[in-house]
Amino acid sequence: MQRIDLLLTDCRAATMVAGGEPYGAIEDAAVAIDGGRIVWIGPRADLPEFSPINTARLDGRWITPGLVDCHTHLVFGGDRIGEFEARLGGTTYEEIAKAGGGIRSSVAATRAADEAELIRRGRRRLANFVAEGVTTIEIKSGYGLDPEAELKMLRAARYLDGDVRVVTSFLGLHAVPKDQDRDAYVSQMIDEVLPRAAAEGLADIVDAYLEGIAFTPDEVSRLFDKAKALGLPVRLHADQLTDGGGAALAAKHGALSADHLEYTGQAGVEALAKAGTVAVLLPGAFVALAETQKPPVEALRAAGADMAVASDCNPGTSPLLSLRAAMHLACVQFKLTPEEAIAGATRNAAKALGLAAETGTLEVGKLADIAVWDIERPAELCYWLGGALLHKSWRAGRPIVTRN
């Protein structure tokens, strides 16, 4: 009889494995966990004989993979509440950015904060996601915009790795600092800061912002070529405000994902699907900016492109501390089905971070990243806007959240 660390019984499992039953559902399931990984999952009637050190009977609750938030800017200094008020008064995001606000206003506050302050504020924000079943979260730099501040952000993000898995992204090409030579800045980020981040093990992924108010295809391509030379995968903020060919560029470079995509055209959609690049939808920014141009969800669906959903938590354009709220908004604003939204925050989000082999579905061999919910149907995770639905969670078989 095989000795195992933990056996979960009396549960309903939304495995989120593609194909088969909706949600990959197993109505009366059991899960065997050992060494932090799933060693068996299936109908309880078929459960082999195990000798578990611990058993958790879940009283018929639903379990899912731990949620994955694949796009956040969680580490930053200050806030941008004044810009929120200005937008409510009719000022556009582009107008704010051109007047020296936007990303640049967060830069000053982030540079002024020491690493301990960034960690303290980041930990407080992160707690909101953990309480909602997130077991993996991505955190970008991009509010430092000079060598030491960018690396400081990445170190702070690394420090937050613990109860949840933190994936770090180097976003040096986020905005050009005020009064700095553009070419010199781009070269510094590519040739100096990125290699330092890689050498110090601070960056898992390299990201960039391709847009008329940000960086050009040529600049992004230079960054991506350097990232590949350093063995780092790439992602791209693409086509948020205009169709700048960002989706196609991301696909050309084999990017893990292209994110935002409100203005992506059919050629970009087809390129993403062909390349297997995940389309990451960010409804928090869409709502916060009062946008009207929606990402081409129907075209992405028809092309067979994988769609992820993320919070885009950031101080200016998506002050959203809830991945579940992003899932709800993806359904209401972008017309995803609840199953698509949950897949977008589990299976496809893991793929967008290059972690599909490790997490995102409940399958034998994968890490035991598991969330237990007080719900009667999986769709409730998207239906309720708020509410404490999480009962318990594990990351790699270790308990994170436990509620009575």
Side-chain angles (χ1 to χ4, degrees), residues 69 71 73 84 87 129 240 260 262 280-291 295 308-334 385:
D69 196 334
H71 184 129
H73 304 255
F84 170 69
R87 288 200 307 274
F129 292 91
Q240 180 184 11
H260 286 290
E262 280 86 342
V280 179
L281 308 180
L282 304 171
F286 176 86
V287 171
L289 293 174
E291 296 288 353
V309 176
S311 70
D312 192 17
C313 174
N314 75 75
T317 64
S318 186
L320 186 60
L321 293 171
S322 169
L323 180 55
R324 277 194 44 242
M327 292 157 63
H328 172 95
L329 293 173
C331 294
V332 172
Q333 297 290 333
F334 297 162
L385 190 55

Side-chain angles (χ1 to χ4, degrees), residues 111 144-151 170 172-173 175 177 180-197 215 222-223 226:
R111 288 178 177 178
L145 305 189
D146 69 27
E148 297 310 318
E150 285 292 301
L151 297 173
F170 172 73
L173 296 194
Q180 185 159 344
D181 179 79
R182 181 188 187 91
D183 290 340
Y185 175 77
V186 170
S187 294
Q188 181 184 51
M189 285 294 127
I190 294 173
D191 299 327
E192 176 187 338
V193 187
L194 174 55
R196 283 185 62 189
F215 294 91
R222 283 178 56 198
L223 174 74
K226 186 69 170 184

Side-chain angles (χ1 to χ4, degrees), residues 14-96:
T15 67
M16 301 314 299
V17 174
E21 295 294 318
Y23 303 97
I26 303 171
E27 284 292 334
D28 185 8
V31 185
I33 297 165
D34 193 62
R37 294 186 180 267
I38 298 171
V39 296
W40 190 90
I41 182 169
R44 183 163 51 163
D46 299 336
L47 179 65
E49 289 193 27
F50 288 107
S51 176
I53 296 172
N54 294 293
T55 298
R57 294 177 177 83
L58 299 178
D59 300 324
R61 292 181 174 89
W62 278 95
I63 65 172
T64 69
L67 301 185
V68 178
D69 196 334
C70 65
H71 184 129
T72 86
H73 304 255
L74 192 74
V75 169
F76 56 86
D79 61 53
R80 278 150 63 185
I81 296 171
E83 292 179 19
F84 170 69
E85 293 174 318
R87 288 200 307 274
L88 292 177
T91 307
T92 69
Y93 177 63
E94 289 180 272
E95 289 169 341
I96 289 170

Side-chain angles (χ1 to χ4, degrees), residues 56-388:
R57 294 177 177 83
L58 299 178
D59 300 324
R61 292 181 174 89
W62 278 95
I63 65 172
T64 69
L67 301 185
V68 178
D69 196 334
C70 65
H71 184 129
T72 86
H73 304 255
L74 192 74
V75 169
F76 56 86
D79 61 53
R80 278 150 63 185
I81 296 171
E83 292 179 19
F84 170 69
E85 293 174 318
R87 288 200 307 274
L88 292 177
T91 307
T92 69
Y93 177 63
E94 289 180 272
E95 289 169 341
I96 289 170
K98 289 177 180 177
I103 292 167
R104 291 188 182 95
S105 67
S106 289
V107 170
T110 301
R111 288 178 177 178
D114 63 19
E115 191 172 320
E117 175 69 6
L118 293 179
I119 290 169
R120 184 183 68 80
R121 288 175 175 267
R123 181 183 288 119
R124 188 170 62 193
R125 297 180 194 115
L126 180 59
N128 294 278
F129 292 91
V130 175
E132 287 197 336
V134 169
T135 56
T136 297
I137 193 165
E138 184 257 16
I139 302 176
K140 305 178 191 296
S141 68
Y143 291 133
L145 305 189
D146 69 27
E148 297 310 318
E150 285 292 301
L151 297 173
K152 176 177 66 175
M153 290 185 70
L154 291 171
R155 283 192 293 267
R158 273 279 187 256
Y159 192 88
L160 294 175
D161 186 283
D163 285 344
V164 299
R165 178 190 300 103
V166 172
V167 177
T168 57
S169 292
F170 172 73
L171 183 57
L173 296 194
H174 197 195
V176 179
K178 187 177 180 181
D179 300 326
Q180 185 159 344
D181 179 79
R182 181 188 187 91
D183 290 340
Y185 175 77
V186 170
S187 294
Q188 181 184 51
M189 285 294 127
I190 294 173
D191 299 327
E192 176 187 338
V193 187
L194 174 55
R196 283 185 62 189
E200 295 180 32
L202 295 176
D204 300 311
I205 296 170
V206 174
D207 200 345
Y209 186 21
L210 193 158
E211 192 55 73
I213 62 171
F215 294 91
T216 69
D218 286 346
E219 291 165 338
V220 170
S221 292
R222 283 178 56 198
L223 174 74
F224 284 1
D225 288 343
K226 186 69 170 184
K228 288 184 211 177
L230 293 168
L232 294 172
V234 299
R235 302 176 63 192
L236 185 63
H237 289 60
D239 305 336
Q240 180 184 11
L241 305 175
T242 59
D243 186 357
L249 182 72
K252 175 183 175 182
H253 284 273
L256 292 172
S257 75
D259 303 32
H260 286 290
L261 304 177
E262 280 86 342
Y263 284 84
T264 297
Q266 186 62 34
V269 167
E270 292 173 2
L272 293 177
K274 183 177 180 180
T277 296
V278 177
V280 179
L281 308 180
L282 304 171
F286 176 86
V287 171
L289 293 174
E291 296 288 353
T292 56
Q293 177 78 22
K294 298 181 181 182
V297 166
E298 190 58 47
L300 290 164
R301 187 184 287 133
D306 292 321
M307 294 182 285
V309 176
S311 70
D312 192 17
C313 174
N314 75 75
T317 64
S318 186
L320 186 60
L321 293 171
S322 169
L323 180 55
R324 277 194 44 242
M327 292 157 63
H328 172 95
L329 293 173
C331 294
V332 172
Q333 297 290 333
F334 297 162
K335 305 306 179 187
L336 265 63
T337 68
E339 184 174 4
E340 287 174 328
I342 296 172
T346 54
R347 180 177 74 236
N348 294 338
K351 182 180 178 183
L353 297 178
L355 295 175
E358 291 288 288
T359 193
T361 59
L362 301 180
E363 295 182 82
V364 170
K366 291 199 174 181
L367 291 169
D369 295 345
I370 298 172
V372 184
W373 305 96
D374 286 317
I375 57 176
E376 291 302 319
R377 299 171 58 190
E380 287 188 58
L381 297 180
C382 303
Y383 169 70
W384 294 110
L385 190 55

